[in-house]
Amino acid sequence: MRFSDPFARKPQRAVLSVAAAIVAVTLGADAQGAEESSTTLSPQALQEIAQLEAEIDRIEAAAIERLAAPPDNQIQQIELLGKLMLYDKHLSVNRNEACAFCHMPETGFTGPVSELNRTTGAYPGSVRTRFSDRKPQTHAYAPLSPVLHYNPGQGDLVGGNFWDMRATGRRLGNPAAEQAQGPPTNPVEMGLPDIACAVYRASQRPYRALFESVWGPQAFVIAWPTDVEQVCDRPGPATAGDPLPVHLSPVDRGRVGTTFDQMAQSIAGYEASAEVTAFTSKFDAVRANKAQFTTQEQQGYDLFRGQARCNECHRDGGPGEDPLFTDFTASNIGTPANPRLPYYGENRPDALGYVANPLGSSFVDGGVGTFLSNGHLLSQPSAVDQRWLKLAPDNQARIQVPTLRNVDKRPYPAFVKAYGHNGYFTSLKQIVHFYNTRDVLPRCKPHDPGEGTTCWPAPESTDNMNTSKVGRLGLSDAQEEALVSFMQTLTDGYAPLDRQ
C-alpha cells in the first residue's frame, strides 16, 4: 500500500468551502500553469494530489521499463500500451493529468483523492480551475458492459459506459473504448482542443515503437503542421469557426481518427485485463468455496437478495452471467443535488473565455435523457442514434446503474469515497440509509444538522424517479450495517489465506 493516511500524521487542514470553491472557479485560470490550482484547491487537497501524481509517475515509470522486453503476446502488448496511456499525463493539454488522476487501483479505479471526494465530489481537469459535473466512475469491469441497445421487452436501454450511457460502443463495438475517447478533448478533463493532439503527443512518447509494432507503422505517418505544438498547448474547446484546429489533409485526418481509435482500444484492452477487472474479491472466494462469509456478511447478502431488493438492479449473476453487480440499465434513485460541485459556479468565462456551465446554479443533470436529446455539453464520444430520440422523455434524469464491485475499496480506513453520480454521498452507510429511508424521513430544512441521518433534501430531479425499489425498505440500522458488511466483500485483492 503506497498511499498513506495523511490524518495519521497531522491534523486535518482547513478545507475549501463550497462558496470559496465557486468563487475560485469563477476567477478564471492561467491555462498554461499548474500553479493556478492553489486558487481553487485546499492545502489538504493539494497535498493529496501531489502524493497521487508521484504515485502515477512511479507506476508509469515501471510500465515504461517493461518496454525494454515487451511481452511477445499481442494481447499482452495491447494491455501494456493501454496501461502506459492511462498513466501518461502528457496526453492532457498542460501535461499534468493522466487518465489515472481520476481512476487509481487503490480505490477500485475511481476517484483517489479523499479530500476531493469529501468536498468537491468532482475532480479538476488539466486546467485546474475547471471541474466536471460528475464524480469519476470506476473503469474496472466497464469493458464487460454490452454495446448500448434497446430491449423492448423490458422497456430499457441496456449497456454503454459513462453515467449517461453516452459511450454507446456502437461504432467501435466496445463501450469502454468509446469511453476512453471522451476525456482527452473534454474541456474540463484532459482539455486537448483536437483528437489530433492526443495522437501527436502519443507519437512522441516512449511507447511509440510498441504501438507501431501492434497497430502498424502507418499509425503516426502524419504530416503535422508546423504550429501543432502551439495549437495543442492551448486548452479546448476548439472554436466553432475552427472545430479541428490541427489543420491536416483529409488523408492525415483519417489516419488520426484511426490511430485515436486504436489508442482507445488499447486502453479498453488494459481495463479488461486481470490487473483491472480481476474477480478476486472475498465474494468470489466464497463462490469458489475458498472462504466463508461472516454471520453479518451472510445476513447482508440475504438482505441484498431479499428485503433490500438490491439484487434486482445490482445483479449478482445468473446462469451464464458474471456477477457484475449491475444490470447495465439506468435509474433515477432521487439523489439530491450536490451543492459542493464547483461546476455550479462555472457559469462565467474563464481566462480563455470558456463557460463550462451556462446554466449555473440552475443546472439539473438530465442523465441519459439529456444525452439522447442533446448529446452532452462536455464531450460526445458516441453519436446518438436518432431512432432513440423518442426514448428521451422516459430516460430523463436516469443514471446508469453502477457496478458494486470495489464499492468500498480504499487505501486506508479513514479515506473518504464519494457515491452517486454527483458524489453527494460520502459513505457507503449513508447511501444505504438513503435507499432505505428516502421516502420515510422528512425533507431537510436549510442547513439542517440532521441531513443524511434524520432528513433528506429533495431529489435533484423527480423525473422518472424509481419509487418501486427505493425509498421505503423497512430496514433496521443493524440491517443497514449488514448490507455494508456484505458489499465490503466485493473488494478485489482478497487472499483466502489471510483468514488463517
Side-chain angles (χ1 to χ4, degrees):
M1 187 71 66
R2 292 179 179 269
F3 276 26
S4 57
D5 181 354
F7 301 100
R9 297 188 305 275
K10 60 178 73 67
Q12 180 184 1
R13 299 181 182 182
V15 298
L16 195 65
S17 69
V18 177
I22 291 176
V23 169
V25 169
T26 59
L27 290 176
D30 173 8
Q32 300 304 317
E35 65 274 9
E36 83 244 9
S37 62
S38 63
T39 66
T40 308
L41 302 170
S42 70
Q44 179 62 45
L46 290 172
Q47 177 190 354
E48 290 188 52
I49 287 172
Q51 186 180 23
L52 167 63
E53 290 171 339
E55 178 69 355
I56 289 172
D57 289 345
R58 183 197 68 79
I59 294 173
E60 182 194 32
I64 288 174
E65 288 181 1
R66 293 175 58 194
L67 291 172
D72 57 8
N73 178 283
Q74 188 181 59
I75 298 300
Q76 294 174 2
Q77 291 172 358
I78 290 173
E79 292 174 0
L80 176 57
L81 275 174
K83 182 173 184 176
L84 285 161
M85 285 184 278
L86 273 173
Y87 288 90
D88 187 356
K89 62 188 179 185
H90 293 269
L91 298 182
S92 65
V93 64
N94 289 324
R95 296 179 172 85
N96 63 340
E97 181 164 290
C99 294
F101 185 83
C102 295
H103 307 278
M104 286 291 281
E106 288 84 1
T107 52
F109 297 94
T110 184
V113 180
S114 178
E115 187 66 0
L116 294 181
N117 297 339
R118 194 184 73 83
T119 56
T120 60
Y123 278 51
S126 182
V127 178
R128 291 295 196 226
T129 52
R130 296 178 180 178
F131 285 72
S132 180
D133 57 338
R134 296 172 180 147
K135 79 169 245 6
Q137 280 181 292
T138 176
H139 63 219
Y141 301 93
L144 302 183
S145 176
V147 171
L148 187 63
H149 60 282
Y150 180 66
N151 183 323
Q154 65 187 56
D156 268 326
L157 285 165
V158 182
N161 274 185
F162 281 125
W163 288 112
D164 58 9
M165 298 175 159
R166 72 184 186 276
T168 68
R170 298 186 74 198
R171 185 174 69 85
L172 295 178
N174 188 331
E178 291 185 25
Q179 185 280 328
Q181 294 186 324
T185 56
N186 188 327
V188 302
E189 295 190 36
M190 298 171 81
L192 293 169
D194 190 323
I195 65 168
C197 295
V199 175
Y200 174 72
R201 296 272 183 93
S203 74
Q204 300 177 309
R205 303 298 293 144
Y207 48 80
R208 172 174 177 157
L210 178 60
F211 194 102
E212 291 171 325
S213 174
V214 170
W215 296 108
Q218 80 292 332
F220 301 113
V221 182
I222 297 164
W224 298 108
T226 56
D227 65 347
V228 64
E229 289 274 5
Q230 179 181 354
V231 169
C232 293
D233 283 346
R234 182 174 179 81
T239 63
D242 191 14
L244 300 173
V246 178
H247 298 153
L248 300 169
S249 70
V251 170
D252 282 339
R253 176 55 64 176
R255 186 162 289 163
V256 157
T258 298
T259 301
F260 190 59
D261 286 347
Q262 292 162 345
M263 292 170 64
Q265 288 165 327
S266 300
I267 289 172
Y270 171 63
E271 291 174 350
S273 72
E275 188 173 320
V276 181
T277 299
F279 293 101
T280 57
S281 69
K282 181 176 183 179
F283 174 85
D284 298 299
V286 170
R287 280 170 56 93
N289 295 316
K290 296 180 179 178
Q292 290 183 335
F293 287 135
T294 66
T295 300
Q296 187 184 46
E297 291 165 353
Q298 184 63 57
Q299 180 192 14
Y301 188 32
D302 293 341
L303 289 164
F304 186 94
R305 293 178 58 86
Q307 182 180 346
R309 307 187 66 178
C310 310
N311 200 56
E312 295 179 33
C313 296
H314 297 281
R315 289 183 51 80
D316 65 349
E321 180 183 337
D322 282 328
L324 297 174
F325 292 91
T326 175
D327 63 359
F328 302 106
T329 65
S331 181
N332 176 12
I333 64 169
T335 301
N338 182 1
R340 303 185 301 276
L341 289 176
Y343 187 71
Y344 289 114
E346 295 180 67
N347 60 337
R348 300 179 185 177
D350 64 11
L352 293 169
Y354 174 64
V355 179
N357 176 22
L359 296 175
S361 59
S362 64
F363 167 77
V364 175
D365 195 329
V368 178
T370 295
F371 159 59
L372 293 176
S373 57
N374 300 317
H376 187 269
L377 182 64
L378 301 176
S379 71
Q380 300 180 51
S382 301
V384 177
D385 188 327
Q386 295 298 305
R387 294 167 293 186
W388 290 349
L389 289 178
K390 63 185 178 182
L391 304 175
D394 289 339
N395 281 280
Q396 192 64 23
R398 297 181 77 196
I399 300 293
Q400 188 175 56
V401 176
T403 177
L404 296 183
R405 283 188 171 270
N406 293 312
V407 69
D408 199 53
K409 187 171 185 180
R410 62 190 70 228
Y412 52 86
F415 183 95
V416 176
K417 292 191 76 168
Y419 298 94
H421 68 281
N422 59 11
Y424 172 83
F425 306 100
T426 53
S427 78
L428 189 54
K429 176 63 160 67
Q430 186 185 35
I431 193 170
V432 168
H433 186 56
F434 176 78
Y435 269 80
N436 182 28
T437 63
R438 183 197 67 193
D439 299 338
V440 176
L441 298 179
R443 290 279 179 257
C444 293
K445 298 177 181 178
H447 312 295
D448 197 313
E451 181 173 342
T453 304
T454 59
C455 68
W456 293 110
E460 180 178 9
S461 172
T462 57
D463 290 344
N464 303 302
M465 196 165 75
N466 187 331
T467 57
S468 64
K469 302 175 184 177
V470 181
R472 193 183 295 270
L473 301 178
L475 303 173
S476 67
D477 184 70
Q479 288 174 317
E480 289 183 0
E481 292 286 359
L483 277 169
V484 170
S485 182
F486 165 68
M487 285 188 277
Q488 289 171 334
T489 72
L490 303 179
T491 296
D492 283 328
Y494 175 78
L497 292 179
D498 289 348
R499 298 171 56 245
Q500 301 177 4

